[in-house]
Amino acid sequence: MLIGYDRRFLSNRAGEAAAEVFAGNNIAAYLLSDEAPTPLVTYATAVQKAAYGLAFTASHNPPEWNGLKVFRSDGSLLLDEETRQIQAETNQLSLEQVIKIDLDIALGSGLVHRSDFTNEYVDAVEKLIDLEAIRKAALRVIVDPMYGVGQLTLGTILTEARCRVTFIHERHNPLFGGRSPAPNLEALRLLATHVVEDHYDLGLATDGDADRIAIVDESGEYITVNDILLLLYWYMHEVRGERGGVVRNLATTHLLDRLASHFGEACVEVPVGFKHIASAMVAQNALLGGESSGGLTIRGHILGKDGIFASALVVEMLARTREKISQLRRRVYDI
């Protein structure tokens, strides 16, 4: 098993409790040594070929909530039937039937290992990003991780790409400043103000567990995720020169269908839930998959949404095109 957790209240304790139960049942576990983005947990699950990966998080939901995301060995989310099967078996257990070993004993026995996959994950993202192009562009970027777990990994990538990067709301606050860590228009007013007043090229935001993205353009305008998907699909196809269709859920813009048709590519619609997007991407060998709530990934990366990678890809798009977000939007809308 691979166990991760974010900055939410008691997420780390939930991860430790899970490790104790696995050890009590003679199941080896990697327990992350520090809070981490959900995409990192997804990546590490696949790299370690764990039976399952667990991420204790409630993502973008209010601070009084917590939850659990479960990943298969390849990093994809469980499908509905698998989730129902696990829930049914779990709910038949009484508390007295749960066997566990104290964490210190589990660590001493070698059944549980404290692990850190930050460097490996950052390296995996950087292999997919044109760092040299970003270095030449000398972009000024401001990032709002919304008191979540996006700062270390994204900050490392942008710093190594020689961006002039500033962070706000980066400290650990399990109350998330008194609101949900969801990167929507209302929550990003301060980010937009900084972009305009301090003349940044781009404002980026990730949600509480950093699997979703939001951006603010150079004029402080909030750019919807539908438009981000359009821009990135255009960029991947026309500037990077990669070929393939796109996958979206039924709540995401049909302009993706029109753009794919313009390129002579397929656009596949799936139900809401990123697990359906990942499954269709594999089946169709699609180039990009995304949803209007902020999640996306590309072919060759993890089978889950990744706000860290998506942020780096947006920065690369600005660096390679040498255009502002507003200019790129006009270009794609003209198509």
Side-chain angles (χ1 to χ4, degrees):
M1 304 295 297
L2 190 135
I3 306 167
Y5 50 90
D6 67 1
R7 282 180 160 183
R8 279 181 179 268
F9 182 62
L10 293 181
S11 279
N12 59 340
R13 297 298 297 275
E16 291 171 355
E20 291 179 334
V21 173
F22 289 127
N25 289 274
N26 202 35
I27 297 170
Y30 295 99
L31 176 63
L32 296 193
S33 52
D34 205 353
E35 64 263 358
T38 291
L40 186 152
V41 178
T42 307
Y43 167 81
T45 299
V47 166
Q48 294 299 314
K49 297 182 172 59
Y52 292 101
L54 310 181
F56 286 95
T57 175
S59 190
H60 60 284
N61 289 294
E64 61 267 28
W65 292 87
N66 211 332
L68 174 63
K69 294 180 178 180
V70 184
F71 304 96
R72 298 156 152 178
S73 289
D74 63 0
S76 62
L77 283 165
L78 297 183
L79 297 177
D80 293 340
E81 183 52 41
E82 295 170 296
T83 303
R84 283 192 290 268
Q85 189 177 352
I86 291 173
Q87 286 179 170
E89 185 169 343
T90 303
N91 289 333
Q92 288 175 3
L93 294 172
S94 67
L95 190 59
E96 291 72 28
Q97 291 175 290
V98 178
I99 303 167
K100 67 176 185 175
I101 292 176
D102 184 79
L103 183 61
D104 289 338
I105 297 173
L107 289 166
S109 71
L111 265 175
V112 176
H113 298 270
R114 287 280 191 183
S115 304
D116 183 358
F117 296 93
T118 302
N119 289 340
E120 293 95 321
Y121 169 73
V122 167
D123 289 344
V125 171
E126 290 184 347
K127 285 178 182 176
L128 298 170
I129 298 297
D130 189 343
L131 294 182
E132 194 56 41
I134 301 175
R135 287 174 182 141
K136 291 176 181 176
L139 295 168
R140 300 186 72 248
V141 180
I142 183 168
V143 182
D144 185 354
M146 307 195 78
Y147 302 106
V149 287
Q151 183 190 0
L152 176 59
T153 48
L154 183 55
T156 300
I157 293 165
L158 295 180
T159 300
E160 291 182 352
R162 309 293 191 271
C163 283
R164 282 62 171 167
V165 60
T166 301
F167 280 85
I168 60 172
H169 302 146
E170 75 278 16
R171 63 187 174 83
H172 186 182
N173 180 353
L175 294 178
F176 302 111
R179 61 188 179 198
S180 301
N184 52 38
L185 172 62
E186 191 58 39
L188 300 182
R189 299 285 187 194
L190 181 60
L191 179 68
T193 299
H194 277 298
V195 169
V196 174
E197 292 184 354
D198 300 323
H199 308 292
Y200 286 96
D201 297 298
L202 177 69
L204 290 166
T206 52
D207 71 336
D209 67 332
D211 66 351
R212 303 165 121 180
I213 183 180
I215 67 175
V216 174
D217 76 5
E218 75 284 354
S219 67
E221 183 177 353
Y222 176 82
I223 307 300
T224 68
V225 179
N226 282 328
D227 279 2
I228 296 173
L229 292 172
L230 283 170
L231 290 172
L232 289 179
Y233 186 46
W234 170 85
Y235 170 71
M236 297 277 298
H237 199 278
E238 296 299 277
V239 179
R240 275 192 167 200
E242 300 185 41
R243 296 294 176 260
V246 63
V247 178
R248 61 162 180 81
N249 69 22
L250 56 82
T252 300
T253 178
H254 288 217
L255 291 176
L256 277 171
D257 305 54
R258 291 163 64 176
L259 187 59
S261 177
H262 173 78
F263 293 151
E265 305 279 10
C267 182
V268 178
E269 180 181 275
V270 297
V272 171
F274 206 86
K275 54 196 170 187
H276 301 299
I277 291 174
S279 178
M281 285 184 69
V282 172
Q284 302 292 328
N285 194 31
L287 176 58
L288 174 74
E291 58 187 8
S292 58
S293 58
L296 66 93
T297 191
I298 67 165
R299 184 173 57 212
H301 191 38
I302 61 174
L303 295 177
K305 49 194 172 187
D306 188 344
I308 305 298
F309 168 76
S311 297
L313 187 60
V314 169
V315 174
E316 181 196 302
M317 177 176 66
L318 293 186
R320 286 191 61 179
T321 61
R322 299 284 179 160
E323 294 188 44
K324 304 291 189 183
I325 291 290
S326 59
Q327 295 171 309
L328 293 171
R329 284 177 81 205
R330 285 195 294 271
R331 181 193 291 269
V332 174
Y333 277 163
D334 285 344
I335 296 173

